[in-house]
Amino acid sequence: MSETETHSVTVNGEHRRVASGTTIAGLVGELGLDPARVAVERNLAIVPRSTLAQMLVEDGDDYEIVHFVGGG
Amino acid sequence: MMTEDTWTVAGRTFSSRLIVGTGKYKSLEQNAAAVAASGAEIVTVAVRRVNLTDPNAPKLTDFIDPKVTTYLPNTAGCFTAEEAIRTLRLAREAGGWKLVKLEVLAEAKTLYPDMIETVRATELLTKEGFEVMVYCTDDPIMARRCEEAGAVAIMPLGAPIGSGLGVQNPVTIRLIVEGAKVPVLVDAGVGTASDAAFAMELGCDGVLMNTAIAEAKDPILMARAMKAAVESGRLAYRAGRMGKRMYADPSSPLAGLI
């Protein structure tokens, strides 16, 4: 079996496929984002920034990735 | 030498009594210039999904440095305590601090706060370790409820958000100021400089505004005006205004008239 296995996940409401073994920090990087400037929620639970590099993306995960924008 | 007139919220001390929003500006450059002209040390910010189609789009943090200016994350767009708590947990993770602005709105038409949900959210957030500055109605009893629920600052509306109508209920704002043990800031409704000065003359610790600056024809000039107005209103409050009289009282002596 040489084909790389992938996981199906949702990021900010959009469907994505991610190679298995990818960490959440890896996913954030793949999206072109700086992990120091965003917050990640996985399946409605906050993922502490300090653990992003250890946590693996799992099939069916639902992510919300947010940052600060202008507001009153 | 006059001692510096600072104010303190949740153990943090600030010189500027003006808090400005960062919404509705034409550009991030204009926004940053207005914040600089306002002298504000705190800006409110919203928490939103990142743009996945253009991750390199300019970001607020590139123009207003959160290490220099205190970001006060808000819960704009939240209509329940649970939505507000979810938003602020994310904000705390993104920013690394726990001082936040809670607003739980009841309806889109007036953007009036839902005070029952607001008080409930204040309690829950305080239990989670947040320091909650609470946007509320200009109702002294509701303001007290917020404080009892753990609010570190009470922020009654002067008028509906974005209306620019000025302080509609000076009597209740004053009652809130007199009753509160935490800072009171008028949040929302300011339209022009005299509105901000008036709020400060009532004894408020500060004023929070967004639209009055962002929607001025010259936002940077209005930011300067607001800085001066807040300082002026504060000085007038500290100075103590003269009493009001029904009739005239001459300023020049009557003795020695020729």
Side-chain angles (χ1 to χ4, degrees), chain A:
Chain A
M1 213 172 81
S2 63
E3 199 185 338
T4 312
E5 203 186 321
T6 60
H7 292 319
S8 171
V9 300
T10 305
V11 181
N12 290 356
E14 289 176 23
H15 176 256
R16 264 188 101 80
R17 294 204 78 85
V18 183
S20 63
T22 304
T23 63
I24 299 178
L27 167 64
V28 171
E30 260 179 41
L31 295 166
L33 303 167
D34 176 0
R37 297 212 280 188
V38 299
V40 181
E41 188 191 72
R42 172 202 214 175
N43 304 328
L44 299 177
I46 299 277
V47 186
R49 187 172 289 149
S50 57
T51 67
L52 289 174
Q54 287 100 56
M55 303 266 280
L56 289 176
V57 172
E58 295 194 26
D59 199 53
D61 276 352
D62 188 0
Y63 292 95
E64 288 291 339
I65 306 179
V66 302
H67 64 163
F68 293 126
V69 303

Side-chain angles (χ1 to χ4, degrees), chain B residues 76-161:
Chain B
C78 293
F79 288 83
T80 65
E82 281 67 29
E83 285 170 14
I85 291 162
R86 185 184 176 197
T87 299
L88 291 177
R89 282 177 182 156
L90 281 162
R92 181 165 60 178
E93 192 56 34
W97 57 84
K98 54 192 178 174
L99 185 67
V100 295
K101 169 180 164 177
L102 174 69
E103 53 177 293
V104 186
L105 302 178
E107 58 170 18
K109 185 181 174 186
T110 59
L111 295 178
Y112 245 62
D114 180 329
M115 289 312 300
I116 293 171
E117 281 298 290
T118 298
V119 170
R120 194 165 72 83
T122 303
E123 263 170 21
L124 293 168
L125 286 162
T126 302
K127 278 190 192 132
E128 278 199 30
F130 285 97
E131 292 161 343
V132 196
M133 299 174 71
V134 182
Y135 173 61
C136 59
T137 50
D138 54 354
D139 173 339
I141 308 307
M142 281 301 163
R144 190 199 301 158
R145 289 269 192 274
C146 291
E147 194 173 337
E148 286 165 358
V152 298
I154 303 293
M155 303 201 292
L157 54 84
I161 292 172

Side-chain angles (χ1 to χ4, degrees), chain B residues 164-166 189-198 207 209 211-213 216 222 225-226 229:
Chain B
L165 290 168
V190 165
T192 188
S194 52
D195 298 334
F198 183 49
V207 181
M209 65 180 73
T211 309
I213 297 175
M222 187 58 90
M226 292 302 186

Side-chain angles (χ1 to χ4, degrees), chain B residues 28 176 208 224:
Chain B
L28 290 164
I176 291 169
L208 196 165
R224 278 178 56 198

